[in-house]
C-alpha cells in the first residue's frame, strides 16, 4: 500500500513537495522542515523520511535524530524543534475541528461525526492541515472524495 494519497499524485513521483506522510511524522516528532531544506535532500533522503517508522517513543526519537542529521548534512543548518502536542486534534475522533467544518462548508460538503470517527488519524490530520487558513486548500475537496466522505 502506498504511503501517499491520490491527491498528491502530481508531485509524489519526484517528491518535490513534502508529502502528507512526512508532514504527519514532522508533527509527531516536533521538527520543522522547511521546503528549501527538503529540496536539498537527495531522493534517497526523501524516501528514507517517507519510509522510516515514527510511531513508538523510540521510533519518534530516532526519526527526530534522522531529520536533525539530514538537515545539518544537506543544508548546514540546525534543525528547528517544535513543541509536540500531547493530544493532537487528529487523534480526537469525536470533535471535528471548526476549521474542517468551515472548509467543508466552503466546498459544499458536510462531514458527519460518524464519518469523522471512521477516519484514520492520518486522514483527520490531512483534513485539518488542508483546512487551515494558511494553506491553499486546493486539495481539501479531492481529499474528502478520496476518503469517501462524499460520493465520487
Amino acid at each position: 500500500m502506498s504511503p501517499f494519497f491520490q491527491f498528491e499524485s502530481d508531485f509524489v513521483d519526484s517528491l518535490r513537495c513534502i508529502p502528507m506522510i512526512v508532514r504527519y511524522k514532522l508533527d509527531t516528532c516536533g521538527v520543522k522542515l522547511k521546503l528549501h531544506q527538503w529540496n536539498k535532500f537527495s531522493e534517497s533522503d526523501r524516501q528514507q523520511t517517507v519510509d522510516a517508522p515514527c510511531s513508538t517513543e523510540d521510533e519518534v526519537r530516532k526519526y527526530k535524530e534522522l531529520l536533525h542529521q539530514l538537515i545539518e548534512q544537506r543544508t548546514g543548518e540546525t534543525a528547528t524543534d517544535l513543541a509536540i502536542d500531547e493530544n493532537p486534534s487528529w487523534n480526537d475522533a469525536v470533535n471535528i475541528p471548526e476549521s474542517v467544518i468551515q472548509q467543508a462548508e466552503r466546498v459544499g460538503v458536510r462531514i458527519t461525526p460518524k464519518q469523522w470517527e471512521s477516519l484514520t488519524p492520518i486522514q483527520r490530520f490531512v483534513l485539518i492541515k488542508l483546512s487551515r487558513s494558511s494553506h491553499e486548500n486546493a486539495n481539501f475537496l479531492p481529499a474528502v472524495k478520496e476518503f469517501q466522505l462524499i460520493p465520487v
Side-chain angles (χ1 to χ4, degrees):
M1 187 168 131
S2 172
F4 306 113
F5 294 101
Q6 291 171 10
F7 66 83
E8 297 177 301
S9 64
D10 60 331
F11 69 82
V12 293
D13 286 342
S14 65
L15 288 176
R16 65 178 163 80
C17 295
I18 303 171
M20 283 293 179
I21 186 65
V22 173
R23 292 177 66 190
Y24 181 73
K25 292 174 183 182
L26 292 170
D27 279 22
T28 300
C29 76
V31 173
K32 181 166 184 69
L33 177 63
K34 299 172 184 163
L35 188 57
H36 80 271
Q37 294 168 326
W38 174 257
N39 287 329
K40 299 263 180 162
F41 286 10
S42 69
E43 186 177 325
S44 172
D45 295 339
R46 292 176 187 181
Q47 193 61 52
Q48 188 177 6
T49 64
V50 168
D51 295 337
C54 188
S55 296
T56 68
E57 196 173 308
D58 190 50
E59 289 171 350
V60 170
R61 182 184 51 74
K62 287 178 181 175
Y63 195 84
K64 185 174 194 166
E65 290 171 2
L66 169 67
L67 287 168
H68 278 252
Q69 179 184 34
L70 288 174
I71 291 169
E72 172 75 29
Q73 288 175 349
R74 304 300 183 240
T75 70
E77 299 172 12
T78 302
T80 303
D81 289 334
L82 304 170
I84 298 172
D85 187 345
E86 295 299 320
N87 296 302
S89 53
W90 54 85
N91 283 339
D92 182 348
V94 176
N95 300 298
I96 305 171
E98 192 59 34
S99 65
V100 174
I101 293 169
Q102 290 175 356
Q103 185 61 30
E105 287 173 353
R106 280 188 209 102
V107 296
V109 174
R110 181 178 175 274
I111 299 172
T112 68
K114 187 174 182 175
Q115 288 173 313
W116 184 255
E117 182 181 355
S118 73
L119 297 173
T120 64
I122 193 166
Q123 289 173 322
R124 289 191 293 267
F125 171 87
V126 165
L127 293 179
I128 291 166
K129 288 294 184 185
L130 294 177
S131 68
R132 292 201 170 148
S133 59
S134 60
H135 201 278
E136 78 175 55
N137 311 111
N139 285 322
F140 185 86
L141 186 57
V144 166
K145 289 178 181 176
E146 183 174 339
F147 302 159
Q148 300 176 348
L149 299 177
I150 57 172
V152 197

